[in-house]
Amino acid sequence: MTKSPSWLPAPDDSNLPFFEGAKEGRLRLQRCNDCSAWMFPVRVRCQSCGSTNVKWADASGRGTVYTHARLQREYHPRHSGRLPLVMVQVDLEEGVRVNTNLIDCDPEKVKAGMSVQVAIEHSPSGEAVVVFRPA
Amino acid sequence: MTHPMNSAAAICGLGITAMGRVYRDADDLAAEAVYLAIEDAGLKKSDIDGLLINAGVGNAVSIPLHISLGLQELNVLTFMQGYGSSAGQMIQYAAMAVANGLANYIVCVFADAPLLEGQRTGAAYAGGGRRNAMGSLYPLYGFAGALPMYALAAQRHMDLYGTTQEHFAEIAIGQRKWAAMNPAATKREPLDLAGYNASPWVVEPFHVLDCCLVSNGGVAVIVTSAERARDMKQPPVYVRGFAQAHGHDAGMSNQDAAIHTPAARSAPRALTMADAKLSDVTQCQIYDCYTYTVIVTLEDYGFCKKGEGGQFIADGKLSPGGALPTNTGGGELSSYYMWGMTPVAEAVIQGRGQGGARQAKNDLILVSGNGGVLNYHATLVLSPEAA
């Protein structure tokens, strides 16, 4: 039996810690070692203070729904049989806003302000995919 | 005291190519738009001494356009990029340049050809998403291009203020009524609520008909000094005021970027330059990449309170015969999508009084340009009368 094709581009040096964290069920983001600001997406320089002393750190994985929408067209194998797929922007406790999916929820009952937490889903080839679910 | 830039410059030429599935190089569409604008203005190519260039998603027009055009004695030449705010920006920089003697006739041109033969319309703008860390997961999540981001913004407006699907429908339906009177519009067949509701979902709350068209084509305008514009072939459209506002970061949770856009900082300054009040505005040409963009922009421009945009437009005031004629050519939703040149071109037609059946009161025309995901903004105040 052939292995399912990868859903994801292979990690590279810029994002490997994120994917290694996901394997362990953790949400990792970059944080500035000088001013402690969190950042998203991947950056080489802190947006707040300009420092390049940026490291990966475990985020709380807790946040609230800033807003949401429902994907109604498939264009990736993961979407198959899952429409409407709930797309969300989550405001993390760390002060950054991430784009992701909300699973294990009634799409009609998702509202701005809802509490959510990080969850891990696995692709057919075993890759860890970071998503969120209601807290 | 009148602002020195109020009515210092005017638009004296307009060129619009065929729009839609025109399978030609963007560079050539740009060149044609420039020639059309020169002819429209009653100028000779040798009169042109400035060229500002903006390319669309295909990014296929750049500085060498001046070589394609045989423009070899330019005093102003640059490529500019502010996404959907670029058209408004180009006119602003051109106005300041002609008012200060850098050049006499500056062409501002936009062209794009994202539609490829045999390829679906949706493929043209589907790219995007930073392909690193969580960004590399965007295709899995369904984040492709700007569309989902605007759908997310619209849903927040619905959650916070009770804005309804019917409010978005009113924008699409009202603009289609205008398009029916515009011979150059791509979509002119009548649209009603049933037709809107029957339009497939893309990312809910957006149907296909909440989204702008995708068009191949080119638009050019020529900016000159108000003094020169006075005695030219076309009636002048004066640049009475302008401003820009930029800088949102959608990745930080300390900004309510879906609801409060830079438009709120841009319009008041443009109106101050024009020595005008919002109540003086007789028509609007509002960047309408999505139906929601019109509602949020009108709110941020101050036509109604934040959150009341849906109710504000629900009575049909933006449609033909309404109190605030808006997107009178059908807009990006129904006429054609040339980024910020769509509202600009219609404003020039209206400002000249050349709108035919769709001509609206044109004393003061408010024009918006919006780029990114409600990140970048330019405002123009145009009028057939100088200050």
Side-chain angles (χ1 to χ4, degrees):
Chain A
M1 208 175 111
T2 53
K3 200 179 168 194
S4 305
S6 176
W7 284 6
L8 293 168
D12 61 32
D13 289 347
S14 76
N15 59 31
L16 192 61
F18 171 83
F19 288 102
E20 294 296 319
K23 275 186 202 167
E24 297 159 17
R26 284 200 274 253
L27 174 64
R28 273 198 198 136
L29 297 171
Q30 287 173 297
R31 189 175 198 187
C32 177
N33 267 354
D34 289 340
C35 77
S36 301
W38 293 84
M39 58 204 80
F40 174 82
V42 174
R43 308 198 182 276
V44 293
R45 186 179 293 275
C46 174
Q47 289 162 275
S48 297
C49 74
S51 168
T52 53
N53 187 8
V54 169
K55 293 286 182 316
W56 288 86
D58 289 345
S60 67
R62 290 187 299 271
T64 56
V65 171
Y66 173 66
T67 185
H68 56 105
R70 290 151 306 285
L71 182 71
Q72 295 281 15
R73 283 192 176 181
E74 289 178 19
Y75 65 87
H76 185 280
R78 179 169 170 267
H79 305 159
S80 180
R82 296 183 65 164
L83 301 187
L85 186 61
V86 178
M87 306 169 72
V88 284
Q89 286 187 290
V90 173
D91 284 349
L92 296 173
E93 287 182 359
E94 287 78 12
V96 300
R97 183 171 293 155
V98 300
N99 302 331
T100 181
N101 287 151
L102 193 67
I103 62 164
D104 300 341
C105 65
D106 177 350
E108 298 302 317
K109 298 208 170 127
V110 180
K111 285 282 175 209
M114 201 172 142
S115 294
V116 296
Q117 65 184 48
V118 76
I120 303 293
E121 186 184 294
H122 289 91
S123 75
S125 45
E127 294 149 313
V129 178
V130 171
V131 291
F132 281 71
R133 66 161 48 103
Chain B
M1 199 184 97
T2 307
H3 190 285
M5 280 310 299
N6 181 347
S7 309
I11 296 169
C12 65
L14 172 66
I16 307 174
T17 69
M19 290 288 163
R21 290 201 166 269
V22 185
Y23 300 118
R24 287 162 48 192
D25 288 347
D27 190 71
D28 185 49
L29 289 162
E32 185 188 342
V34 172
Y35 279 114
L36 289 170
I38 292 170
E39 188 190 348
D40 173 79
L43 293 169
K44 300 186 300 293
K45 194 168 79 174
S46 55
D47 294 324
I48 302 302
D49 55 1
L51 180 63
L52 301 180
I53 302 163
N54 170 225
V57 69
N59 206 26
V61 190
S62 192
I63 299 296
L65 176 65
H66 85 94
I67 295 169
S68 308
L69 286 165
L71 293 171
Q72 293 164 2
E73 291 191 33
L74 295 172
N75 299 327
V76 167
L77 170 66
T78 197
F79 177 85
M80 305 188 68
Q81 190 56 278
Y83 307 116
S85 71
S86 309
Q89 288 196 37
M90 288 196 292
I91 290 166
Q92 297 180 19
Y93 295 121
M96 291 188 280
V98 297
N100 289 287
L102 263 74
N104 295 332
Y105 298 101
I106 301 182
V107 179
C108 307
V109 63
F110 170 90
D112 202 10
L115 293 170
L116 302 175
E117 212 160 356
Q119 189 193 62
R120 282 167 46 105
T121 301
Y125 272 78
R130 291 186 181 87
R131 295 285 181 261
N132 51 32
M134 270 179 98
S136 67
L137 298 169
Y138 283 2
L140 281 73
Y141 295 147
F143 287 85
L147 192 157
M149 301 304 291
Y150 278 89
L152 285 152
Q155 182 67 56
R156 181 165 171 85
H157 204 275
M158 296 171 99
D159 282 16
L160 263 56
Y161 305 117
T163 305
T164 66
Q165 200 75 51
E166 286 69 29
H167 293 143
F168 300 142
E170 172 57 30
I171 299 290
I173 293 165
Q175 291 191 197
R176 185 63 64 84
K177 289 179 188 161
W178 286 116
M181 294 187 278
N182 179 5
T186 302
K187 288 198 172 285
R188 304 182 62 199
E189 63 279 12
L191 177 68
D192 59 11
L193 186 59
Y196 168 86
N197 285 329
S199 165
W201 292 117
V202 189
V203 177
E204 200 183 337
F206 283 167
H207 295 277
V208 169
L209 291 178
D210 286 293
C211 310
C212 65
L213 301 163
V214 177
S215 311
N216 290 0
V219 178
V221 296
I222 304 177
V223 177
T224 190
S225 66
E227 203 180 335
R228 282 194 166 78
R230 234 159 254 142
D231 298 310
M232 289 178 64
K233 183 176 158 191
Q234 297 287 353
V237 177
Y238 293 99
V239 180
R240 295 277 295 268
F242 53 82
Q244 302 174 26
H246 313 286
H248 273 173
D249 179 355
M252 304 307 275
S253 63
N254 61 0
Q255 292 185 352
D256 197 354
I259 302 294
H260 297 278
T261 83
R265 293 198 296 114
S266 187
R269 287 183 287 127
L271 286 165
T272 298
M273 185 188 286
D275 199 20
K277 302 182 300 292
L278 205 58
S279 55
D280 298 327
V281 172
T282 58
Q283 64 164 271
C284 294
Q285 306 298 337
I286 302 292
Y287 196 96
D288 56 323
C289 47
Y290 301 95
T291 48
Y292 171 64
T293 315
V294 178
I295 290 174
V296 74
T297 304
L298 290 173
E299 284 179 357
D300 280 339
Y301 273 10
F303 284 103
C304 61
K305 281 186 192 156
K306 178 52 69 185
E308 294 179 0
Q311 296 157 53
F312 177 73
I313 60 91
D315 66 354
K317 67 166 60 65
L318 309 186
S319 311
L324 187 64
T326 294
N327 296 349
T328 51
E332 297 168 341
L333 297 171
S334 283
S335 68
Y336 56 83
Y337 185 48
M338 285 284 108
W339 286 15
M341 278 298 187
T342 301
V344 162
E346 179 63 13
V348 173
I349 292 167
Q350 289 280 335
R352 289 174 173 182
Q354 295 172 350
R358 68 181 195 278
Q359 181 65 44
K361 204 160 177 286
N362 65 1
D363 306 44
L364 204 67
I365 308 172
L366 194 54
V367 185
S368 82
N370 156 69
V373 183
L374 304 167
N375 298 111
Y376 313 109
H377 200 91
T379 307
L380 298 173
V381 182
L382 304 179
S383 174
E385 302 296 332

